[in-house]
Amino acid sequence: MRAPGRWWRHKSTPEKVETYTRWSFHSFAVMEFFSVGLTSVAPLGARRGSTALLVVAVHAALCFVTVSRAIDWTRGRRPQPVKLMWTLAAVTAAIAAAAIAIAELGPDGERVDTAAGGVFGVILIFGPGIIALGVRDRRRAFAIAGGFAAGAGTVTFTLGAPVLTALTTALIVLIGGVFIAFTAVFSVWLLNAVYELDEARETRARLAVAEERLRFGRDLHDVMGRNLAVIALKSELAVQLAQRGRPEAVAQMVEVQRLAQESQREVREVVRGYRETDLASELAGAQGVLAAAGIDCTVGGATVTGLPTTVQSALGWVVREAATNVLRHGDARRCEVRLRVLEGRVVLSVENDGVSETGTEPASGPPGSGLAGLRERLAELDGTLDAEPAGRGLFRLTAEVPLPAASGTVPAAVAVRAVSEVTR
């Protein structure tokens, strides 16, 4: 069973903004029903009041549905609800005209006039504002509010109200309608902007990962390109010599064998990260990758020069894989990297707050082979790797590698901390 509020915490930032926007405008329909629907029953009497309550409920329901359809259209999930908006506009105009007719021509009484005027004003203010959600051009959205205001003034004057009263009514409807329309236009713009920013952040993260893959591909090409070209030439030469019965073919094939073994060794070094791998460089690279993904990352106190090369190489791969996981999995707000040397061993921990709903794995994406590869790499140095939730929505990856006996000159404690925060 889900804990209270987990459905909200599990949403991404754009989804939270969309939910907030949707229910903010849904609340207008609820406010309309309770503020003028229920309160008009007593002043208008049982028959007229019940009719007014039913009419306002129908209008509020139309507003409720229009909000959902308009926001879905804004996000490209369904066609523009043109017919629904026209229906809402017609119902709004009809209810407003009936309300002002009751106020001007109906039974006398201050309570009746107040109730009818409340229905008239609220309907004409909320209706155009809700319709504005389904209009892409902000000038048209404001024009809708202006049209309803002009219509309100015209109908009020036609039913016998003084010119000043008609103008005042039109001005009140105009101010209220333009305010709600502006709120709708701004809310839609903000919602789209948040989604676009989130998509741009994901794109930057994918590009950062792709750039890292290209870098690895370039390293592999640099290692294998020349050797494979030489192997191809020497193999061709050996074939030609063998066809002629020349004994030099054996020497050429021996050279091919040597080059193949050398290439195999160099590829293994690239894959395992033993070729010019430096922990400080990997920390700087992780900072650059996170920065490219829109995450502010600071690295300080990078005193890692005293660590053995083999240890730096293995932990450098841990940093690289951890940074990739922060980008690919979950929606982490904070990532902390800590390196320590304690009692003849090096401990590297990477902690972030992007855990899944179950709290057992990163929040999204299929489990890959990265952690398994890290465990294999650390096992060659008698090291260990643990990845588990750390409580309070945190996920921690801890790598521990023993120091070689000859590395007694390593300082007693070396700390490197990289803290990155990004708001949802």
Side-chain angles (χ1 to χ4, degrees):
M1 185 174 181
R2 289 189 175 186
R6 177 170 290 185
W7 70 275
W8 174 261
R9 293 194 300 269
H10 190 59
K11 289 178 177 292
S12 64
T13 299
E15 290 173 345
K16 289 180 179 179
V17 175
E18 180 179 346
T19 301
Y20 174 79
T21 302
R22 189 183 297 271
W23 283 102
S24 294
F25 283 92
H26 281 164
S27 66
F28 289 160
V30 176
M31 290 168 53
E32 175 184 305
F33 176 77
F34 284 100
S35 63
V36 298
L38 291 178
T39 58
S40 62
V41 175
L44 296 178
R47 184 170 61 86
R48 289 191 181 91
S50 299
T51 302
L53 177 63
L54 178 61
V55 169
V56 172
V58 170
H59 187 269
L62 278 174
C63 290
F64 203 93
V65 176
T66 303
V67 168
S68 295
R69 299 292 178 84
I71 292 180
D72 288 342
W73 166 73
T74 299
R75 297 306 312 144
R77 303 189 187 108
R78 63 171 67 244
Q80 186 179 17
V82 178
K83 293 182 179 180
L84 185 60
M85 291 191 298
W86 276 108
T87 301
L88 178 60
V91 172
T92 299
I95 295 175
I100 198 65
I102 292 175
E104 295 294 335
L105 305 177
D108 294 333
E110 183 177 353
R111 298 180 63 191
V112 173
D113 293 343
T114 301
V119 173
F120 174 82
V122 171
I123 291 293
L124 281 183
I125 290 175
F126 284 172
I130 298 299
I131 295 173
L133 282 173
V135 179
R136 199 177 299 277
D137 190 350
R138 62 179 180 273
R139 288 176 294 184
R140 292 184 179 180
F142 296 144
I144 292 173
F148 274 93
T154 302
V155 172
T156 303
F157 179 74
T158 303
L159 293 176
V163 176
L164 182 60
T165 301
L167 291 176
T168 303
T169 301
L171 182 61
I172 294 174
V173 172
L174 178 64
I175 294 175
V178 168
F179 176 77
I180 301 297
F182 172 79
T183 303
V185 171
F186 178 77
S187 298
V188 170
W189 173 83
L190 179 62
L191 178 62
N192 291 332
V194 170
Y195 268 103
E196 290 174 1
L197 288 174
D198 188 70
E199 292 172 0
R201 178 176 176 269
E202 292 180 358
T203 300
R204 287 196 298 268
R206 289 194 296 268
L207 289 175
V209 174
E211 182 179 357
E212 181 65 18
R213 291 174 178 172
L214 288 175
R215 189 185 70 83
F216 178 81
R218 287 193 298 268
D219 289 347
L220 191 62
H221 177 270
D222 292 342
V223 169
M224 292 297 297
R226 181 185 62 84
N227 288 353
L228 288 177
V230 175
I231 288 174
L233 290 175
K234 287 187 173 292
S235 299
E236 183 180 357
L237 177 58
V239 170
Q240 293 178 359
L241 292 174
Q243 289 175 348
R244 299 174 185 176
R246 300 283 298 274
E248 292 88 346
V250 177
Q252 295 297 327
M253 290 307 301
V254 170
E255 182 66 14
V256 168
Q257 182 182 24
R258 186 192 67 79
L259 289 172
Q261 293 173 347
E262 179 68 16
S263 299
Q264 185 180 22
R265 182 187 64 80
E266 291 181 348
V267 169
R268 189 179 296 113
E269 289 179 353
V270 171
V271 173
R272 292 180 179 177
Y274 291 156
R275 181 172 177 264
E276 297 181 0
T277 302
D278 179 71
L279 181 56
S281 299
E282 291 301 330
L283 287 170
Q287 182 184 24
V289 169
L290 293 176
I295 301 176
D296 292 333
C297 180
T298 59
V299 177
T303 311
V304 298
T305 55
L307 295 176
T309 303
T310 54
V311 174
Q312 289 199 42
S313 177
L315 294 182
W317 270 101
V318 174
V319 172
R320 184 182 302 180
E321 179 67 21
T324 302
N325 286 339
V326 171
L327 292 173
R328 293 179 56 192
H329 302 299
D331 189 15
R333 296 177 178 176
R334 182 181 64 85
C335 176
E336 183 175 348
V337 181
R338 183 176 178 84
L339 180 68
R340 293 173 296 169
V341 178
L342 300 173
E343 298 179 358
R345 70 186 190 278
V346 183
V347 180
L348 174 71
S349 63
V350 182
E351 185 177 280
N352 68 86
D353 58 357
V355 297
S356 66
E357 184 178 357
T358 60
T360 58
E361 294 179 355
S364 64
S369 60
L371 296 182
L374 289 178
R375 287 189 176 96
E376 294 175 359
R377 182 173 286 106
L378 294 177
E380 296 180 0
L381 300 177
D382 295 328
T384 60
L385 180 72
D386 294 323
E388 58 185 1
R392 295 181 299 176
L394 301 177
F395 191 87
R396 181 182 299 144
L397 184 147
T398 305
E400 183 174 331
V401 180
L403 285 171
S407 60
T409 58
V410 180
V414 181
V416 177
R417 183 179 299 266
V419 180
S420 63
E421 294 184 355
V422 57
T423 57
R424 291 189 174 191

